[in-house]
Each structure stands twice: as C-alpha cells, then as structure tokens.
C-alpha cells in the first residue's frame, strides 16, 4: 500500500514545469505567502538552472510538509494551473470500496468515519451504516477546514485501522493504491499526521456493574483521553446517562445488560471513536462472558464487543472504599504502570494449582502483581481468588475445550510482547474465533483479561459512597 515517492515528485514537477515558464511567477507564490512558507523559502533552494531548482523545490515542499498548502494556494489563485490538479473523485472511491463487503467491515468503516470528522459533524450514520455511497456522500458534503480533506483522512484512517486489525484489503489494494497516488500526493505524511492525532485522542469507556441490595446497578463513564487522564480533573471524564439516569437497575438474570452495554457504546460512539472498554464486575460475576455480548442487536449479526474492542474486566469491589485489602490491591496496580514496556512474560507468574486455597496461598506468597491462571474454575472462584490474593492483573480461560492446553494458549499471548500490547493481543485471539464454526469452540470466546489499574477510576466526585 506504500506509495512510490518519486511518482509524487515527478507528478508535481511536471505540472509546475508545464505552467511556470517564467521563474518570477513561481517566486511570487512564496513571496506573497511568507506566513505559510517562511521568509525566503524559494531563495534558499539551490540549483544552477531552473529545472534543477524546481526539482529541489518540490523535494523541499514535501519534506517540510507543505504540499497541501501549496496546492491549496495554487487552486485558489491560479485557476489555469488548478485545472491541471486532480479534484478528488468520490465516485471512483465508492466504486473501489464497493468491492468490499461493508457489513463485514462495518466497524472499521465507522471508526474511520468517526476519526475523519469533527464531533459536531458526526451523524446518526454511526448507528446504521447502509452503504458506502451514504458514508462517502456525508464526507463529501463536509467543507474542508484542515490541511487534509475528510475523504483523504477517511482513506488514511481506513488504511491504519485495517493494518492494526489485520484486515485483508488485498481485494482493493491495487485500485486503492492508484486512487491514493492520484489524490493523496503526500500520503506518507498524511499517515504520520493521523497517527499523531490518534495518540492525542484516545477515548475509553468505563462500565461498572455493582451489587445493590438483591440486584445490580449499572453506571458508566466516558474518559476523553486515556493517555492524559487525571482522575482529579472532572472535565476529563463524562458520566453517561440512559433515559436520563446515571444509575440503571439490572436484575439478577442480567437479561437487560447486553442491550444496555450496546446503548452505551452507541452513545459514546456518536461523539468519539472508543479505543478500549473496561467493565467493572462484582467478584461473583468475574467469570461472566461479557466480551461475548453481541455488538449489534440484529439477529443475523454475530460480531461481539470483544472482537470489536480490547475488553478488560475489573473488580467492582475495588471501585469504592478504603479498606486495607482494597488499598493493597491498588498499590500493586500502580506498580503495573511502570512495567508497560517490559516483556509480559517477565511479569506474569504461573498459577497452576487446582486447589483453591493452595493457589491463593501461592499468589500471596509470591506477592504476584500478574498471574496466568491455568486451571478452569467455575462461578465466582477466579474473582474471589484474585481479590483475596491482591492480584490486579490476570489472564485465564473460562471453559475447558477439547485438545486445548490452557498453558500453551496463555503463553502464546504473554510471550514475545510487551505488557502494554496484551489487551490488543487478546482482542486478536478473540477475532480468531470468527473462523471457527461454531465460534464457541474456539478459545478466543473464553478468554478473561483482568486489568485493574487504579490510575483509571472515575472522578471521586462521581463516586459518592452512598450511591449504592
């Protein structure tokens, strides 16, 4: 998918040479627009003849990331030359993207769309994307206010998300590459800018299911940027509502819970593109397959939230209070923050004893901050063992599967990668389940990742102790 850099330069050089037979006319662009290019931009370009100076000029324009500025000025000021520059063909892009099954790639298309436009421009399209034409038409109608057009950004984000999620674009690779070469002359620099934007915008969803009398209650918060979150800053976190309520009752059967989670995801996605979801669960529900809840209500859709987002579960008992066990739990959790760049295998210990008390003793004795739990425990046992042992980071399998060795699966996920990448690797394993028929026979449908980071808790002013 990478573009030929020389093709871009050759294209621009040829167009400049076709129009600018007089060097003074070319100089005037940079003299008039010094606030964009800087003082004496053209004068600093070396070369013994006009042709050489054009070659060096184009190279400098691209190196300084000024190509789109240059083209915009040309289009606005020199209409004859503007006719030689290709207008973006949305129809051509639609024809290319229509070669893909939009329903199969719905999530990636929506994420690329959401990232490409400002929050105020996001429409109900985020809830129901019907076809490529509708999506591109929305983008085409949005006025360009930045260096890159919404359509250019959409293609760039589509490329990044496909690469990140290991989505095969080989069906359209040749056609899309040609489109990019023609309409995104500085595509590599566009990708760099978008990667920087992504780092600056890293929103996450926190959902808490807590015990309330004989039933449960749900609360949710949207963290605007996980990379810069400060629990003391009220503005960094928004408490979400359903039916104008911040606390939603849930019955013991959890029948209404999957739909509530979908509603929260849709509500959050109407303003930002969620990168991670953290779900607080009571100890008794720590083995519940929350990652297997369906992403879409349509009965013909089988994608789960765990295949769409990195999902980490957390312990609701660690959400509120200041008892000694909770404080020790949080102290261990803070140690994890300093180990994100380390190899995950260096941090996790093996918990392989099938006897509950013996396993708990082992985890306590080794003062573990991370554990891979090999035996399969039912009901509330994984959560209870980990909570009592004070282990805030753990990985385990919920169900025994034939011909599957849990230790092998866990080691594959933990070895050869840094700790920070673990949630994404678990998500990829969950995605692998889509190739199995039925997917429930794949271990990806039965993975639990507990990651209780005390740096990511809702603001204290949103966690009044008397709420529950």
């Amino acid at each position: 998918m990478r573009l030929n850099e020389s093709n871009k330069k050759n294209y621009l050089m040829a167009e400049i040479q076709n129009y600018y037979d007089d060097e003074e006319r070319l100089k005037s662009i940079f003299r008039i627009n010094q606030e964009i290019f800087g003082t004496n931009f053209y004068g600093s370009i070396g070369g013994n003849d006009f042709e050489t100076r054009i070659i060096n000029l184009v190279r400098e324009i691209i190196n300084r990331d000024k190509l789109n500025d240059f083209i915009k000025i040309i289009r606005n000021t020199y209409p004859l030359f503007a006719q030689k520059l290709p207008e973006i063909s949305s129809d051509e892009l639609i024809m290319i993207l229509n070669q893909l099954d939009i329903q199969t790639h719905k999530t990636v298309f929506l994420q690329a769309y959401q990232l490409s436009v400002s929050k105020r421009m996001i429409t109900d399209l985020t809830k129901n994307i019907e076809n490529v034409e509708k999506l591109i038409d929305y983008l085409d109608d949005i006025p360009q206010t930045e260096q890159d057009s919404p359509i250019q950004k959409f293609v760039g984000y589509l490329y990044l998300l496909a690469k990140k999620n290991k989505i095969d674009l080989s069906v359209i690779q040749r056609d899309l590459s040609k489109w990019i070469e023609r309409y995104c002359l500085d595509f590599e620099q566009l990708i760099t800018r978008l990667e920087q934007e992504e780092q600056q915008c890293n929103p996450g969803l926190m959902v808490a299911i807590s015990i309330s009398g004989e039933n449960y209650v749900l609360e949710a918060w949207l963290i605007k940027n996980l990379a810069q979150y400060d629990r003391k800053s009220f503005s960094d976190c928004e408490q979400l509502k359903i039916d104008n309520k911040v606390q939603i009752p849930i019955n013991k059967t959890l029948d209404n819970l999957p739909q509530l989670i979908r509603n929260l995801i849709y509500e959050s996605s109407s303003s930002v593109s969620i990168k991670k979801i953290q779900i607080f669960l009571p100890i008794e529900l720590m083995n519940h397959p929350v990652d297997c809840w369906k992403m879409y209500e349509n009965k013909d859709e089988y994608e789960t939230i765990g295949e769409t987002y990195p999902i980490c579960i957390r312990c609701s008992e660690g959400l509120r209070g200041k008892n000694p066990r909770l404080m020790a739990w949080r102290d261990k959790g803070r140690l994890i923050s300093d180990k994100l760049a380390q190899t995950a295998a260096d941090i996790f210990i093996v918990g392989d004893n099938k006897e509950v008390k013996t396993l708990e003793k082992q985890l306590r004795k080794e003062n573990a901050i991370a554990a891979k739990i090999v035996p399969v425990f039912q009901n509330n046992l994984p959560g209870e063992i980990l909570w009592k042992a004070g282990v805030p980071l753990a990985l385990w399998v919920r169900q025994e599967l034939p011909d599957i060795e849990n230790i092998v699966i866990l080691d594959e996920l933990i070895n050869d990668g840094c700790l920070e990448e673990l949630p994404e690797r678990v998500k990829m394993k969950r995605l692998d389940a889509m190739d199995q028929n039925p997917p429930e026979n794949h271990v990806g449908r039965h993975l639990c990742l507990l990651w209780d980071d005390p740096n990511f808790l809702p603001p204290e002013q949103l966690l009044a102790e008397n709420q529950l």
Side-chain angles (χ1 to χ4, degrees):
M1 189 71 77
R2 286 187 63 81
L3 299 176
N4 187 324
E5 186 73 21
S6 64
N7 285 349
K8 294 188 300 185
K9 293 179 181 178
N10 290 339
Y11 171 83
L12 191 56
M13 285 188 291
E15 294 301 327
I16 291 175
Q17 288 170 337
N18 286 339
Y19 185 67
Y20 289 100
D21 52 359
D22 181 352
E23 188 169 8
E24 286 303 316
R25 296 171 67 191
L26 185 58
K27 286 182 181 179
S28 67
I29 290 180
F30 304 98
R31 187 166 55 248
I32 295 171
N33 296 282
Q34 290 187 35
E35 72 281 2
I36 294 175
F37 298 100
T39 306
N40 200 31
F41 183 90
Y42 188 89
S44 64
I45 304 299
N48 296 326
D49 53 65
F50 188 28
E51 184 175 347
T52 304
R53 284 193 289 278
I54 287 178
I55 294 172
N56 293 337
L57 172 66
V58 171
R59 183 182 297 115
E60 193 65 16
I61 287 173
I62 292 175
N63 287 344
R64 293 198 191 184
D65 199 16
K66 298 294 183 182
L67 180 57
N68 277 5
D69 290 324
F70 180 77
I71 291 176
K72 185 176 181 180
I73 291 168
I74 294 299
R75 282 187 168 138
N76 292 337
T77 313
Y78 304 93
L80 290 178
F81 180 65
Q83 293 174 7
K84 297 177 179 293
L85 295 172
E87 292 289 343
I88 290 177
S89 173
S90 55
D91 290 340
E92 186 179 339
L93 180 60
I94 288 170
M95 290 177 62
I96 294 170
L97 296 179
N98 267 334
Q99 298 176 61
L100 296 173
D101 180 1
I102 192 169
Q103 295 305 318
T104 301
H105 302 290
K106 178 189 292 186
T107 302
V108 171
F109 273 62
L110 287 177
Q111 288 180 346
Y113 168 80
Q114 293 160 6
L115 290 166
S116 304
V117 301
S118 64
K119 177 178 177 180
R120 64 184 178 85
M121 298 299 299
I122 291 180
T123 70
D124 286 341
L125 181 70
T126 54
K127 293 184 181 180
N128 182 24
I129 177 171
E130 297 173 358
N131 51 54
V132 172
E133 287 85 348
K134 184 175 180 180
L135 186 150
I136 298 300
D137 284 346
Y138 270 110
L139 292 170
D140 212 12
D141 289 341
I142 298 173
Q144 181 171 345
T145 58
E146 302 176 354
Q147 180 174 354
D148 309 297
S149 73
I151 288 182
Q152 287 172 322
K153 292 180 70 173
F154 171 78
V155 172
Y157 277 120
L158 187 64
Y159 169 80
L160 284 174
L161 290 168
K163 182 179 179 181
K164 181 179 179 181
N165 294 293
K166 298 181 180 179
I167 294 172
D168 184 10
L169 293 181
S170 59
V171 174
I172 63 170
Q173 182 169 339
R174 181 179 177 182
D175 292 338
L176 188 60
S177 294
K178 288 182 178 180
W179 189 94
I180 289 171
E181 285 203 30
R182 184 165 176 77
Y183 303 112
C184 303
L185 297 180
D186 60 342
F187 189 65
E188 286 86 355
Q189 294 185 27
L190 168 64
I191 290 298
T192 299
R193 289 192 293 273
L194 297 184
E195 288 175 330
Q196 291 172 348
E197 283 185 18
E198 277 201 291
Q199 292 174 0
Q200 296 168 2
C201 182
N202 189 20
L205 177 64
M206 285 192 297
V207 178
I209 293 98
S210 305
I211 296 173
S212 178
E214 295 297 319
N215 293 299
Y216 300 108
V217 66
L218 178 146
E219 300 167 278
W221 302 267
L222 179 64
I223 297 180
K224 298 177 182 179
N225 191 344
L226 292 168
Q228 300 175 356
Y229 179 61
D230 181 359
R231 190 188 181 197
K232 297 178 182 178
S233 175
F234 189 83
S235 62
D236 287 350
C237 183
E238 174 189 354
Q239 187 155 24
L240 302 178
K241 298 179 181 180
I242 295 180
D243 296 331
N244 209 32
K245 297 178 181 178
V246 296
Q247 293 187 5
I248 315 299
I250 305 170
N251 55 41
K252 275 287 186 178
T253 61
L254 308 180
D255 292 342
N256 59 336
L257 189 50
Q259 183 60 56
L260 289 172
I261 298 296
R262 283 193 289 271
N263 291 345
L264 290 168
I265 291 174
Y266 292 158
E267 180 180 345
S268 303
S269 298
S270 67
S271 58
V272 295
S273 178
I274 300 171
K275 301 299 175 62
K276 294 180 180 178
I277 298 180
Q278 302 176 16
I279 302 180
F280 291 82
L281 296 169
I283 288 176
E284 62 193 60
L285 295 181
M286 293 285 270
N287 229 18
H288 196 78
V290 295
D291 50 279
C292 294
W293 290 333
K294 289 179 63 175
M295 181 68 197
Y296 303 101
E297 191 172 2
N298 188 331
K299 65 179 182 179
D300 295 325
E301 297 266 9
Y302 298 100
E303 184 177 352
T304 67
I305 63 170
E307 292 163 352
T308 309
Y309 302 100
I311 302 286
C312 296
I313 61 173
R314 304 185 60 176
C315 188
S316 294
E317 278 73 9
L319 195 59
R320 293 175 170 89
K322 296 182 179 180
N323 66 68
R325 176 173 286 160
L326 184 149
M327 301 311 292
W329 172 276
R330 290 184 180 177
D331 286 343
K332 280 190 180 181
R334 292 186 182 94
L335 295 175
I336 297 172
S337 302
D338 298 327
K339 302 179 183 296
L340 295 178
Q342 293 186 26
T343 303
D346 294 339
I347 301 165
F348 277 77
I349 73 161
V350 180
D352 55 3
N353 202 298
K354 294 182 180 180
E355 294 295 328
V356 173
K357 289 187 177 180
T358 306
L359 177 57
E360 181 187 329
K361 180 181 178 181
Q362 177 193 4
L363 298 177
R364 285 175 179 242
K365 188 175 181 180
E366 298 193 35
N367 200 27
I369 65 170
K372 47 188 175 185
I373 307 298
V374 179
V376 171
F377 294 101
Q378 300 301 318
N379 303 321
N380 64 333
L381 284 178
E384 185 177 332
I385 294 168
L386 294 165
W387 173 249
K388 288 183 177 179
V391 180
L393 176 58
L395 186 63
W396 71 92
V397 180
R398 286 187 293 261
Q399 183 173 315
E400 293 280 7
L401 293 174
D403 304 320
I404 295 292
E405 292 187 43
N406 289 349
I407 187 61
V408 174
I409 297 297
L410 299 179
D411 283 344
E412 285 177 356
L413 290 165
I414 292 171
N415 294 344
D416 302 322
C418 70
L419 182 60
E420 189 173 22
E421 298 170 348
L422 183 57
E424 190 66 32
R425 291 201 300 277
V426 172
K427 176 194 166 186
M428 290 298 105
K429 181 62 73 173
R430 288 169 175 157
L431 271 173
D432 289 342
M434 296 177 71
D435 298 327
Q436 187 91 21
N437 189 16
E440 287 74 21
N441 289 345
H442 191 281
V443 71
R445 281 291 175 94
H446 306 286
L447 286 171
C448 278
L449 175 60
L450 168 74
W451 192 317
D452 226 314
D453 188 341
N455 295 315
F456 294 109
L457 288 170
E460 293 181 3
Q461 57 265 56
L462 297 180
L463 279 177
E465 291 293 339
N466 59 2
Q467 284 186 318
L468 298 182

